[in-house]
Amino acid sequence: LMCSCRRGGGLVQPGGSLRLSCEARGIDLDYYAVGWFRQAPGKEREGLSCINSRDGNTYYGGAVKGRFTLFRDNVKKTIDLRMDNLKIEDTAVYYCATDHTSHCPPAGDYDGMRYRGKGTLVTVSS
């Protein structure tokens, strides 16, 4: 799995937007649930969002609900996380993950999925 940022890398001002992409080689993400989690310096991992493969249902953690949107880009074959109204506390390394399952793990346990990307740093700073 590879996680990458679009549009200008990982530095953004508070209130700004950023879009992260998750793409895979050797794994067809169309068939598996894909989740995103993050880890800020000195903090525990936090599940952010996940999308089922079959029914397309998406789930969001409380800290990002209403600001982040997870969707499948069927043209580019990626799972993208659009982040709006970014806050300084959103600064973290962001990871995407997947496993051999069509449904997202319960209770935001996305960092427990078997396959994960190396992560990409998002810095929100003025």
Side-chain angles (χ1 to χ4, degrees), residues 51 100-102 111 118-119:
I51 184 168
H100 292 298
T101 177
S102 61
D111 63 327
K118 291 183 179 180

Side-chain angles (χ1 to χ4, degrees), residues 72-122:
R72 293 181 183 270
D73 187 324
N74 293 321
V75 174
K76 299 185 182 298
K77 306 294 279 185
T78 59
I79 310 298
D80 287 8
L81 183 68
R82 177 176 173 84
M83 307 185 293
D84 295 314
N85 191 22
L86 283 162
K87 305 176 181 180
I88 292 175
E89 52 264 39
D90 291 320
T91 295
V93 178
Y94 285 70
Y95 302 85
C96 63
T98 191
D99 207 334
H100 292 298
T101 177
S102 61
H103 282 76
C104 295
D109 187 26
Y110 313 139
D111 63 327
M113 300 174 94
R114 191 178 318 182
Y115 308 105
R116 64 182 67 169
K118 291 183 179 180
T120 187
L121 176 63
V122 172

